[in-house]
Amino acid sequence: MRHPSRAYGSQAVRLVADIDHDSWGSVRASLYETARVVSLAPGLPGHEPRLTWLLEQQMKDGSWGEGPALYRLLPILSAVEALLSVARSDTSSGTGREQIAAAAAAGLAAVRNLPATGPWPDTAAIEILVPSLIAQINDHLGQHTIEATPSLGPWSRGPRLDVPHGFARRHEQVAQRCRSHGVPFKLHHTFEGIFQHVPPGAVPAPDGLLGSSPAATAAWLATTPASGQSEKAVTELRKVARRYGGLFPEAAPLKAVERLWVAAALAGSGLPPACGATVRAWIHDIYDAAGVRGAPGLMPDADDTAMAVLVAALAGEPRDLAPLDTFWSGTSFDCYVGEDTGSVTANAHALQALHAYAQCRPAEGAVRLPRRDLVADWLLAQQQTDGAWRDKWHASPYYATERCVTALARHGGPTARTALRSAAGWVVATQRDDGSWGVWSGTAEETAYAVKILLAAQDVFHLPGADRALSSAEAVLEAASCTTGHRHPALWHDKTLYAPHAMIQAEVMAALQMLRMRGEAELIAPGGERDTEETAS
């Protein structure tokens, strides 16, 4: 049983209380999503400030977005299409049309300057959203009002944007299937990619945001006659805008995901007793026998369902495993029904959930032991030759690797030990000179994952270089935890990159607490030395 230190305990209690008082989720506004609302719902209050913010976010090279160049393709296209839509409009604007046109022209140049062949990131529905936006941009460029502006005239008279290599006209192909068979639930979140190609009424009126997405909701509004149902959707958008200063995140509210991931992270280093009642109340609210949704309007999925089962078990109130059965494929768990590519992190969370449940209810958990073995085997087969795992929900291999290492370390066995050794060796070899880890640059978030990988491995065997790596990492995490308002880089995948601040903060806090506990344990060990003999789990 891990006992939290007083400093960690007070920080954790404060974080849990903050989350409990804000059901929306601590994420930054999405440039992609906000630009879609600018284009599709210009009559929504706050349009002019949103347009100004969009212009202010443009970088010197004409691009928009976070992360490396290839990740900026979709945000650039979204911003350019929105600006072209405004420039083409006859409505008066406080922002000069030529300023808007110049920004759009710079964005078009930025698209042309991107690498032509990718590889493009595996973000949500990028294969639909990119060709859809390019088609809309090319349509704008053919309009007289666009040709008449000095900045955009050459673009209007020149060649149109090509769909980048690796993208087909998937939006039209998908829309054709939707016209024949209806719009599947999984496309509600990215409905803006096909809305122009399906008839009005193809998607029923949403109860809140369509697919939890402001962009999808604005697209639905753009094809829906004014009515009480459309007014309800406008009201929902206005609620979100008020929470995010007139702007929009990629999903709202992020309540379930944030609470589950934060609780699981904090429990890994010892959930303070003062947080227990709140976490149990979260589980009571989130757990669903039909499967857990990451946000209202999304499909139930294995990832959130597994995390709900895991957190419930860690909080001492285990919930039935049956909702997970819906996603079982025979060898692993699908994230959701109709999934195209599997997720190692969702399966790692499911394996953790199965183990945690078995600890609470051994007799019932034993029934699913064969399934645990199959999931472990599936995860082991996904490990890459460098020792890492990679996944579609996060840009960083450190996140996916930590999830898999944590799950496999609890599962045990000689094959799992070999995989842990390989993963830990990769972590030691990839540490940066300043003590951090990161796929693009050193970050506190990825450093936290790397620390947890090494600590899990050291519970099984001694790894040369790990102690030195952990010591230098502690300073990185201490600095991040002491910096007020630390801005974590966006590494998580939705339609574009996003950064769930509270979830990241919990990971950093938990990893730092684990390091402190390790240091205290070494001080009280006989002779002050740790056993460096390799042991079997």
Side-chain angles (χ1 to χ4, degrees):
M1 175 70 178
R2 284 177 167 149
H3 299 284
S5 68
R6 183 172 299 176
Y8 168 74
S10 62
Q11 291 173 343
V13 168
R14 196 159 51 245
L15 177 62
V16 167
D18 288 344
I19 293 169
D20 196 50
H21 292 141
D22 178 16
S23 61
W24 288 98
S26 55
V27 293
R28 298 192 289 271
S30 162
L31 189 137
Y32 166 84
E33 210 81 7
T34 301
R36 294 298 79 230
V37 175
V38 166
S39 174
L40 296 167
L44 194 71
H47 174 76
E48 195 64 40
R50 278 190 284 278
L51 179 58
T52 300
W53 179 82
L54 202 60
L55 292 169
E56 291 172 347
Q57 300 308 303
Q58 189 171 29
M59 292 183 277
K60 291 182 179 179
D61 64 357
S63 69
W64 284 268
E66 299 189 66
L70 295 175
Y71 275 91
R72 296 202 291 273
L73 173 62
L74 191 59
I76 298 171
L77 292 174
S78 185
V80 167
E81 194 284 326
L83 295 178
L84 290 174
S85 179
V86 173
R88 179 180 167 182
S89 171
D90 291 331
T91 58
S92 59
S93 171
T95 305
R97 178 169 291 179
E98 183 50 40
Q99 180 187 355
I100 293 169
L108 288 165
V111 172
R112 286 266 170 88
N113 289 333
L114 289 177
T117 58
W120 308 105
D122 188 16
T123 49
I126 189 172
E127 73 281 4
I128 297 172
L129 300 176
V130 164
S132 173
L133 282 169
I134 288 176
Q136 293 174 61
I137 287 169
N138 287 338
D139 179 64
H140 288 314
L141 291 175
Q143 302 302 313
H144 174 71
T145 50
I146 297 298
E147 184 181 6
T149 58
S151 298
L152 290 169
W155 287 95
S156 181
R157 293 184 291 272
R160 300 292 184 255
L161 288 183
D162 292 324
V163 175
H165 180 74
F167 294 98
R169 302 185 70 82
R170 284 292 305 279
H171 62 302
E172 294 178 353
Q173 298 166 8
V174 171
Q176 177 59 46
R177 290 201 299 271
C178 292
R179 287 193 295 270
S180 301
H181 305 291
V183 179
F185 202 176
K186 73 173 186 175
L187 288 181
H188 286 192
H189 184 59
T190 53
F191 181 64
E192 70 273 16
I194 60 170
F195 80 104
Q196 291 181 310
H197 302 280
V198 295
V203 172
D207 189 40
L209 294 182
L210 180 63
S212 82
S213 164
T217 306
W220 181 83
L221 279 169
T223 60
T224 302
S227 65
Q229 292 177 331
S230 63
E231 282 300 315
K232 184 177 181 181
V234 169
T235 299
E236 293 297 324
L237 285 173
R238 294 180 73 169
K239 286 179 184 177
V240 180
R242 281 196 296 273
R243 166 60 179 82
Y244 291 96
L247 309 175
F248 295 93
E250 295 215 3
L254 204 64
K255 176 180 174 180
V257 174
E258 181 173 84
R259 295 180 177 195
L260 291 173
W261 264 248
V262 166
L266 297 179
S269 53
L271 187 68
C275 297
T278 302
V279 170
R280 287 190 290 273
W282 290 351
I283 287 298
H284 179 77
D285 181 47
I286 294 171
Y287 178 86
D288 190 331
V292 177
R293 304 170 191 270
L298 295 180
M299 300 174 67
D301 67 86
D303 208 6
D304 292 291
T305 302
M307 288 295 275
V309 172
L310 172 62
V311 171
L314 294 175
E317 293 193 359
R319 299 300 178 97
D320 193 358
L321 290 169
L324 269 175
D325 294 342
T326 303
F327 309 102
W328 180 245
S329 72
T331 56
S332 61
F333 290 94
D334 292 334
C335 267
Y336 52 85
V337 177
E339 181 182 45
D340 293 326
T341 55
S343 165
V344 298
T345 58
N347 278 274
H349 291 150
L351 183 56
Q352 289 185 58
L354 293 171
H355 278 292
Y357 183 88
Q359 287 185 322
C360 295
R361 295 179 176 169
E364 295 177 44
V367 175
R368 286 179 168 80
L369 180 58
R371 184 168 293 185
R372 280 152 49 189
D373 290 339
L374 286 170
V375 175
D377 289 344
W378 186 87
L379 287 175
L380 289 165
Q382 311 310 310
Q383 188 176 28
Q384 300 186 2
T385 55
D386 61 0
W389 281 266
R390 289 165 176 81
D391 192 54
K392 64 181 179 179
W393 298 124
H394 203 286
S396 174
Y398 295 99
Y399 172 75
T401 303
E402 185 274 320
R403 274 8 194 198
C404 293
V405 162
T406 298
L408 291 169
R410 292 173 183 169
H411 188 74
T415 309
R417 284 198 295 274
T418 300
L420 262 62
R421 182 183 294 279
S422 179
W426 169 74
V427 168
V428 170
T430 57
Q431 188 175 30
R432 295 174 180 270
D433 291 342
D434 64 357
S436 69
W437 282 269
V439 63
W440 300 320
S441 61
T443 70
E445 177 186 356
E446 292 166 283
T447 301
Y449 299 140
V451 163
K452 292 168 75 174
I453 292 166
L454 293 181
L455 290 177
Q458 285 202 320
D459 284 344
V460 180
F461 51 78
H462 172 67
L463 182 71
D467 287 336
R468 184 171 59 254
L470 289 168
S471 295
S472 56
E474 188 166 0
V476 174
L477 296 180
E478 288 278 10
S481 66
C482 294
T483 304
T484 304
H486 183 80
R487 181 183 172 92
H488 295 286
L491 294 167
W492 295 65
H493 281 182
D494 192 359
K495 300 173 197 177
T496 58
L497 293 171
Y498 72 104
H501 177 79
M503 292 156 61
I504 298 169
Q505 187 178 351
E507 294 289 350
V508 172
M509 287 168 52
L512 186 55
Q513 171 67 0
M514 290 177 179
L515 285 172
R516 290 168 176 164
M517 293 164 63
R518 168 180 171 270
E520 292 169 1
E522 288 177 353
L523 287 175
I524 63 175
E529 295 293 333
R530 218 168 29 87
D531 181 12
T532 58
E533 293 286 323
E534 178 173 330
T535 59
S537 64

